[in-house]
């Protein structure tokens, strides 16, 4: 008989176990992990460096990075936020560093530092870790409001149960059977698959952009001219920031923000849609046309292809000039008004067809999970079942890339731990 059983040996599960044991050392706590190893997602996070959290210390600003959970996480972030997480690791001998883009990593640049910290703490605090313990069922015990946990070979009992199983369909199904509402899971962080000559030969190139996704109802193969009414319509999704061209299409923060905020819409589109990229986001199409006419007057003797007047990579410039059907030898002085308009269009409103998605590195994140309406966010306790708590990605919370998904795990685990220590 355990006081507390935690299902899931990942970031949220370990953090919750440790924080609970610190708060109440008398509790007998066990972590159940279905695999041979624990903390697998921590291991691969951030390219093996573990993007622990993000240097956003204002809870009001921090919640703006959560497409789902923004309102619910505000209170919890006031209780336990970025600075608290940094202090936790640094007090345990894991110094951290803040990179230029705000992401926070261990100074060792190794996720093993985080894993070793957790394993050392669980051993010090006497927390049991049961590997190869896939949970087959968990059922509330009527006689004492506790829980019975069944693995392949054994039955266990506990007073309090915390589910930190991440995106686990079998766990979600059991919760559904017990009366919880499960929001269907869809991918949240993913890159866009695009086959297009403009980006085919320049993988690895990165530049700052503005990206918009128009409503799919605008797509009509019979329309061969651009309608002014379409240009003025508001996009359903938009973002800005660095865009990375890859062998399979597009990635980088600008794309990943779209994938997170548009997780449900893009799933409905079956990951087939169009995006419009402004490669020079400080200019609108009309403004850029005027600038190109000025360049024509100043640089008339130079060829357009070899005169990159903007802060975009040279190889991209050459490809976009070619896409505007401009001959390599054409000089600025010989460019007609229509040619310069086409170039401005290509630079500020490049349209690309997205046909599918790819997982962002090894960091598979989903939107979906336990309905937020059925969780008390003062304790991360179930409103439906007694002595049941949640933490991490098992609930319908997800974030953009940059350490924010881990911050949700740390915060939920901490708040749940405080409540569980008192039960």
């Amino acid at each position: 008989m355990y006081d507390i059983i935690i299902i899931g040996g990942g970031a949220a599960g370990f953090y919750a176990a440790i924080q609970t044991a610190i708060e109440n050392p008398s509790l007998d706590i066990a972590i159940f992990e279905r695999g041979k190893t624990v903390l697998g997602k921590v291991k691969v996070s951030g390219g093996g460096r573990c993007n622990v959290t993000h240097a956003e210390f204002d809870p009001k600003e921090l919640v703006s990075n959560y497409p789902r959970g923004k309102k619910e996480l505000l209170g919890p972030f006031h209780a336990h936020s970025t600075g608290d997480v940094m202090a936790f690791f640094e007090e345990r001998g894991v110094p951290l560093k803040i990179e230029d883009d705000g992401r926070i990593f261990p100074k060792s640049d190794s996720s093993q530092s985080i894993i070793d910290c957790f394993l050392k703490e669980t051993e010090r605090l006497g927390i049991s870790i049961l590997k190869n313990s896939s949970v087959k069922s968990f059922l509330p015990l009527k006689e004492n409001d506790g829980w019975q946990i069944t693995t392949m070979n054994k039955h266990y009992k506990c007073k309090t149960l915390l589910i930190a199983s991440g995106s686990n369909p079998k766990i979600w199904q059991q919760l559904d059977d017990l009366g919880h509402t499960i929001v269907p899971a869809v991918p949240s962080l993913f890159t866009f698959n695009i086959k297009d000559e403009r980006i085919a030969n320049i993988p690895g190139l990165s530049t700052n952009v503005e990206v918009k996704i128009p409503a799919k109802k605008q797509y009509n193969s019979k329309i061969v001219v651009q309608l002014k009414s379409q240009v003025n319509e508001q996009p359903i999704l938009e973002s800005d920031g660095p865009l990375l061209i890859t062998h399979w299409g597009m990635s980088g923060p600008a794309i990943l923000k779209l994938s997170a905020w548009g997780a449900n819409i893009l799933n409905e589109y079956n990951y087939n849609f169009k995006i419009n990229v402004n490669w020079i986001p400080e200019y609108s199409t009309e403004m850029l046309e005027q600038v190109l006419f000025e360049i024509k007057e100043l640089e008339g003797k130079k060829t357009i292809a070899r005169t990159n007047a903007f802060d975009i990579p040279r190889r991209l410039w050459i490809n976009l000039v070619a896409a505007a059907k401009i001959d390599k030898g054409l000089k600025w002085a010989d460019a007609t008004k229509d040619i310069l308009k086409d170039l401005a269009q290509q630079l500020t409103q490049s349209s690309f067809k997205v046909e599918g998605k790819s997982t962002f590195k090894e960091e598979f994140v989903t939107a979906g999970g336990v309905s937020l309406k059925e969780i008390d966010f003062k304790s991360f306790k179930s409103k439906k079942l007694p002595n049941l708590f949640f933490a991490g990605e098992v609930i319908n919370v997800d974030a953009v890339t940059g350490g924010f998904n881990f911050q949700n795990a740390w915060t939920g685990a901490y708040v749940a731990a405080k409540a569980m220590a008192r039960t």
Side-chain angles (χ1 to χ4, degrees), residues 194-203 245-247 249 319 352:
I194 300 171
K195 293 181 179 179
D196 192 289
E197 289 184 0
R198 288 169 290 181
I199 61 173
N201 62 343
I202 51 175
I245 295 171
T246 69
H247 288 285
N319 284 5
F352 293 88

Side-chain angles (χ1 to χ4, degrees), residues 190-196 198-200 202-205 207 209-211 242-256 258-259 273-279 316 320 350-360:
F190 51 87
T191 60
F192 294 174
N193 294 350
I194 300 171
K195 293 181 179 179
D196 192 289
R198 288 169 290 181
I199 61 173
I202 51 175
L205 182 150
T207 188
V209 302
E210 182 181 72
V211 191
L243 180 148
L244 174 67
I245 295 171
T246 69
H247 288 285
W248 58 88
M250 293 181 181
S251 184
I255 296 299
L256 294 169
L258 283 178
S259 76
F273 53 93
K274 290 183 181 179
I275 62 170
N276 295 324
V277 180
N278 184 345
W279 300 102
L316 176 62
L320 294 173
S350 288
S351 180
F352 293 88
K353 189 176 181 181
V354 178
E355 296 180 296
K357 61 176 175 57
S358 295
T359 301
F360 175 57

Side-chain angles (χ1 to χ4, degrees), residues 17-36:
I18 292 166
Q19 294 286 3
T20 306
I22 291 170
E23 187 74 13
N24 188 344
S26 67
L27 294 174
D28 195 1
I29 304 168
I31 298 172
F32 283 43
E33 166 57 41
R34 62 179 173 173
K36 296 178 181 179

Side-chain angles (χ1 to χ4, degrees), residues 376-396:
D376 178 358
F377 281 90
K378 292 180 180 179
S379 62
F380 279 72
K381 188 175 183 180
S382 166
K383 292 180 179 179
K384 293 275 188 176
L385 297 162
N387 294 328
L388 176 64
F389 295 80
F390 302 103
E393 206 179 331
V394 68
I395 67 175
N396 186 26

Side-chain angles (χ1 to χ4, degrees), residues 283-300:
Y283 291 103
S284 66
T285 306
E286 293 74 18
M287 290 169 59
L288 191 62
E289 285 178 13
Q290 295 302 315
V291 172
L292 293 178
F293 285 123
E294 292 173 10
I295 294 173
K296 175 180 177 177
E297 297 299 321
L298 294 171
E299 307 284 0

Side-chain angles (χ1 to χ4, degrees), residues 9 32-38 130-134:
F32 283 43
E33 166 57 41
R34 62 179 173 173
K36 296 178 181 179
T37 60
V38 294
L130 285 72
K131 301 175 187 176
N132 296 309
S133 294
S134 180

Side-chain angles (χ1 to χ4, degrees), residues 334-354:
D334 298 323
T336 65
K337 183 177 181 180
D338 286 341
I339 285 175
L340 295 182
K341 280 193 170 187
D342 287 345
L343 180 58
Q345 183 82 18
Q346 198 62 238
L347 290 167
T348 59
Q349 293 190 53
S350 288
S351 180
F352 293 88
K353 189 176 181 181
V354 178

